[in-house]
Amino acid sequence: GAVVSQHPSRVICKSGTSVKIECRSLDFQATTMFWYRQFPKQSLMLMATSNEGSKATYEQGVEKDKFLINHASLTLSTLTVTSAHPEDSSFYICSALTGQNTEAFFGQGTRLTVV
Amino acid sequence: AQSVTQPDIHITVSEGASLELRCNYSYGATPYLFWYVQSPGQGLQLLLKYFSGDTLVQGIKGFEAEFKRSQSSFNLRKPSVHWSDAAEYFCAVGGGNEKLTFGTGTRLTIIP
């Protein structure tokens, strides 16, 4: 199957700083990528849909100025958590759709801890 | 709006016993249905998917699932579980390039 690489796998940052998470499709071009957030022992909550070359579509309740998404190429989408606070600590997962758009492949996830 | 219900939060099964994880969905059209498995601190791995055709779908690691339109269900089964099957399992529904909606997950514990 297609491979999606997410980096970093773990990051610790100080409150008030910004953190960038990368999501790369390694062996296919992904016109659409998704960003999810997962709280401990809970399900995945979609944050935004990222389309190459256009603005991301955010889900209701997600602050677009806080969670900046850039999808500048067909193989890379980035999520930047700006001015991070402890409540932003979470597991962030990306997924990417292949050209057939019938299956999403997931990255390994990023554990963000804000101290 | 689409939704997924996984009624069992936690299931414990003896190694070698059979397994069934329940999933019910709500979707306005013919759904695309998925089962994913997640190990602690890891991303999601696709076990199997249903798009159309045969309602009994075979997946990886010996898993299968049956789509029952009349019951709006897509239950996951395995005839004999292994200790390595212990993980969190998520059912999801979506359509084509639409976003996936996930259930709340079922945590599977395997006892010797």
Side-chain angles (χ1 to χ4, degrees), chain A residues 38-85:
Chain A
Q38 185 180 30
F39 291 101
K41 300 186 186 301
Q42 296 189 26
S43 188
L44 283 74
M45 301 301 295
L46 181 67
M47 299 174 65
T49 302
S50 169
N51 293 295
E52 186 267 337
S54 64
K55 291 183 177 181
T57 301
Y58 290 82
E59 295 299 300
Q60 190 174 8
V62 178
E63 300 176 62
K64 61 181 181 181
D65 294 330
K66 180 169 186 60
F67 298 100
L68 300 179
I69 291 173
N70 186 290
H71 195 159
S73 77
L74 287 172
T75 59
L76 174 64
S77 176
T78 60
L79 168 67
T80 302
V81 183
T82 63
S83 187
H85 289 95

Side-chain angles (χ1 to χ4, degrees), chain B:
Chain B
Q2 59 198 52
S3 66
V4 177
T5 302
Q6 291 180 250
D8 304 306
I9 296 174
H10 184 203
I11 284 183
T12 299
V13 178
S14 298
E15 189 169 15
S18 63
L19 171 71
E20 182 170 34
L21 302 182
R22 295 183 290 167
C23 173
N24 292 95
Y25 69 90
S26 174
Y27 194 76
T30 301
Y32 289 6
L33 293 159
F34 306 82
W35 273 101
Y36 289 90
V37 61
Q38 183 182 35
S39 297
Q42 300 294 315
L44 275 69
Q45 181 182 22
L46 180 69
L47 288 176
L48 47 78
K49 60 190 177 187
Y50 170 80
F51 292 156
S52 64
D54 193 347
T55 56
L56 185 61
V57 181
Q58 302 297 321
I60 62 171
K61 304 184 180 184
F63 286 94
E64 66 177 27
E66 186 171 11
F67 170 58
K68 292 185 177 180
R69 185 187 300 275
S70 62
Q71 299 178 18
S72 297
S73 69
F74 189 57
N75 294 347
L76 181 71
R77 300 194 294 251
K78 185 169 184 177
S80 177
V81 297
H82 186 263
W83 63 267
S84 59
D85 293 325
E88 189 86 19
Y89 291 80
F90 292 96
C91 180
V93 65
N97 61 353
E98 292 183 15
K99 61 184 182 183
L100 289 177
T101 297
F102 287 86
T104 49
T106 298
R107 183 161 59 94
L108 176 63
T109 298
I110 308 295
I111 56 176

